[in-house]
Amino acid sequence: MDWKNEIIGLPLNVIILEDSSTDFELISEQLRSAGFALNINHAYNRDEFISLLSNGNCCDIILSDFNLPGFDAFEALEISKKLRPDTPFICISGSIGEEIAIEILKNGAVDYVLKDRPNRLPFAVKRALDEQKEKSALKLAEEELKRNEAKFRTLTENIPDIIVRFDKNLRHIYINPAIEKITGIRKEHFIGKTNEDLNMPMELVSIWNEKMNYVFQTGEQRIYEFDFETNDSTHSFLSMLVPEFSEDGAVHTLLCVTRDITDRKRIENDLRKSEERLRDIIFSSADWVWEVDKEGRYTFSSQKVKELLVASEKEILGKTPFDFMPEEEAKRVSEIFAGVVTKREAIVDLENWNIGKNGELICLLTNGRPILNEVGELIGYRGIDKNITERKLSEQELIKAKERAEESDRLKSAFLANMSHEIRTPMNGILGFAGLLKNSDLSGEQQQEYIRIIEKSGERMLNIINDIVSISKIESGIVDVRLSDTNINSQMQHVYDSLVFDADSKGINLSCVCEAADNEVIVRTDSEKINGILTNLVKNAIKYTFTVKVEYGYTAKDDLIEFYVKDTGIGIPKERQDAIFERFIQADIVDKMARQGAGLGLAISKAYVEMLGGKIWVESEEGVGSLFSFTLPRNQVH
Ligand code: ADP
């Protein structure tokens, strides 16, 4: 038999209550021969039986004779039910009649075996053991169920989420106490009612009904977020509708778990608002906002960068600030950065020059703070760059202007000192020689010589005074330009006539070259100023020349006339070639020989040339000579 194998294994713990030793042997033998491994405890009477049941020994089954000395199987059954309620009890006896047999079964014995049919005993034992096994499994399952139910109840009664069970008519059939905390309404109020009965707004009711019906029909769960006005304020809820499948596979009820997400929503909302606020600030800021990782590579950039370094925000990601700096600047700034990063300090007002997207130099003022992760490690920097290029350039301009002003102040003082010398020298000449003329012993020749010196000094004085007057007029902006049709050739000739004597007296060959015919060089311009410019340039050429030739002339072009005055004189050092056109500059020249005038001639000439719409410049080499040039536009706009 199959079950034989099954039961051979662990020995079966049996208590046999039997006053007859022969019957005891018979019963034991019967079970052994059926294949049971046995661990038998034998009780002859009531006391032994009680003591065996009470001593805590393991007992799988009780086999009891019906008639026992001083008591019977009924009493033995009562004792065993009391002491070992879960141990199956089988009554074994001679014929006791059907009624008693039924009675004992009713009282709780699991079977009844007649001694004259002992071969039924193993089957009875086997069945009793199986039944007991099933019973205890069932009991365990029931206990587990109870435990689970208790757990579920504790959970649902204490959870802050609202848990509702709805039936197919969408009525509340269970609701946990959380509802009372949230709505202030007693949970009993909901039971048996639909959302409609509870006066929920119609709009919400229809959405709810639609969702619940969907779950009932499809057996799929649904998630739903909604706002609801409770006693105190508006709450936001998140509901999960879960179908509950019964054994037939149909959904007769659904479970709805609803969580109050008002706080979460508020936090999300606040977070969203502050993110929006931050984004608006970042993107409307006139400055550039950036983030770099700990290697200094850009990981975020506001769109402002498009006006500074690159064509699009994306282009800057992965690059470092040093990629945009000239080499020297990158070296300087990276050293500062390295120091700041090691100490995890903020970057404060760091001015740095960068090459802008169009190749122009841009000065940025950088401020930034370290970004640390949750465990305090440095993971990058975040900051703002301000474009201060204009400010920097105007600062530089201001510094230059200040230096210029100081320089001009110094030059003016020097000029005044020089002027008094320049005026006093001819004055002394005039007064001195006028005094000498009073002497009646003078020869006619000496008198003539003294008069010539007085005239020369007077002329020099007049020139100086004229220059001072002209430059003051220029300075105060009251010089008029008087236009008239001017024949350039006549102007050239006029200058020649007035200076050829001076040139001759120094042994200089003065040559005036007029390349065009008179009618080709009639220009509407200020003839007096042209004369002034030419006279000054030619005079200087004669003055600073000790060789043989001074040549001046012009080239007539379509839109302008370009004049030149060429000498083979002392020349002008490179570094002074710009300065000679500045006002009062002559006073600054150390070279004694050059100090033979007020130093205003070229400044006046330059001012006149510019008033007439032209330009003046010099090409010169020291010891070789100078070539002064200036242009005169034909169409004088004034
Ligand atoms: P001034 O001749 O009265 O000193 P200018 O303004 O005409 O003043 O000239 C300024 C300075 O430029 C002169 O002092 C001289 O040093 C230099 N300079 C001008 N013309 C010449 C020239 N042709 N050759 C060499 N130096 C010249």
Side-chain angles (χ1 to χ4, degrees), residues 540 543-544 567 572 580 586 589 594 597-602 626 628:
N540 276 351
K543 188 156 61 169
Y544 300 109
D567 67 60
I572 305 158
I580 54 168
Q586 197 269 356
I589 299 173
L600 291 173
L602 284 177
S626 308
F628 280 84

Side-chain angles (χ1 to χ4, degrees), residues 497-514:
D497 293 342
S498 65
L499 295 175
V500 68
F501 178 73
D502 278 2
D504 278 352
S505 64
K506 274 187 85 181
I508 292 169
N509 173 17
L510 180 67
S511 80
C512 165
V513 184
C514 296

Side-chain angles (χ1 to χ4, degrees), residues 69-217:
F71 78 130
D72 62 9
F74 278 110
E75 201 182 334
L77 180 61
E78 283 316 306
I79 293 168
S80 79
K81 269 166 42 185
K82 205 164 150 203
L83 296 176
R84 297 288 174 109
D86 296 330
T87 310
F89 185 99
I90 296 177
C91 182
I92 306 170
S93 179
S95 177
I96 52 169
E98 205 169 310
E99 264 178 39
I100 291 180
I102 290 170
E103 193 57 29
I104 201 149
L105 289 175
K106 263 195 195 161
N107 275 11
V110 295
D111 210 342
Y112 181 84
V113 179
L114 288 172
K115 281 186 177 169
D116 53 1
R117 289 180 62 195
N119 53 355
R120 211 183 74 78
L121 182 63
F123 293 97
V125 169
K126 168 80 168 79
R127 204 187 68 198
L129 288 174
D130 286 350
E131 274 178 14
Q132 179 55 34
K133 218 173 169 184
E134 264 174 40
K135 250 201 240 163
S136 42
L138 200 68
K139 200 173 158 198
L140 277 178
E142 274 170 2
E143 278 169 6
E144 180 63 16
L145 200 69
K146 268 191 205 146
R147 267 201 301 277
N148 280 345
E149 266 179 7
K151 259 195 242 165
F152 179 69
R153 184 155 302 111
T154 320
L155 193 74
T156 53
E157 301 289 293
N158 295 297
I159 202 167
D161 297 345
I162 303 169
I163 299 179
V164 186
R165 177 172 282 127
F166 287 98
D167 67 7
K168 274 198 128 164
N169 297 319
L170 312 185
R171 287 180 305 217
H172 296 67
I173 53 174
Y174 166 82
I175 192 158
N176 70 341
I179 191 75
E180 297 180 7
K181 276 197 195 133
I182 292 172
T183 62
I185 304 168
R186 289 191 59 74
K187 63 184 175 118
E188 288 73 20
H189 177 73
F190 294 83
I191 302 301
K193 292 184 184 147
T194 61
N195 284 333
E196 208 168 345
D197 300 337
L198 290 164
N199 291 329
M200 212 190 226
M202 270 326 282
E203 213 178 301
L204 258 184
V205 169
S206 66
I207 299 173
W208 265 97
N209 290 357
E210 184 202 316
K211 299 219 177 269
M212 288 201 280
N213 285 328
Y214 179 88
V215 176
F216 277 118
Q217 277 156 25

Side-chain angles (χ1 to χ4, degrees), residues 373-421:
N373 66 10
E374 311 78 52
V375 288
E377 291 164 347
L378 182 85
I379 53 168
Y381 268 77
R382 176 182 292 140
I384 292 180
D385 273 20
K386 195 182 206 42
N387 183 356
I388 54 163
T389 315
E390 268 180 35
R391 196 180 86 195
K392 277 313 268 189
L393 292 180
S394 49
E395 263 173 31
Q396 285 173 359
E397 275 304 307
L398 269 175
I399 292 169
K400 270 193 214 152
K402 185 171 159 264
E403 282 169 3
R404 270 202 304 270
E406 283 167 359
E407 169 79 352
S408 136
D409 202 39
R410 195 174 63 79
L411 288 178
K412 262 187 190 166
S413 312
F415 170 76
L416 281 178
N418 189 43
M419 263 326 96
S420 66
H421 164 82

Side-chain angles (χ1 to χ4, degrees), residues 574-591:
K574 271 259 162 319
E575 70 278 5
R576 294 212 44 82
Q577 287 179 10
D578 284 337
I580 54 168
F581 293 102
E582 297 292 323
R583 285 155 209 186
F584 316 124
I585 206 75
Q586 197 269 356
D588 212 33
I589 299 173
V590 189
D591 183 356

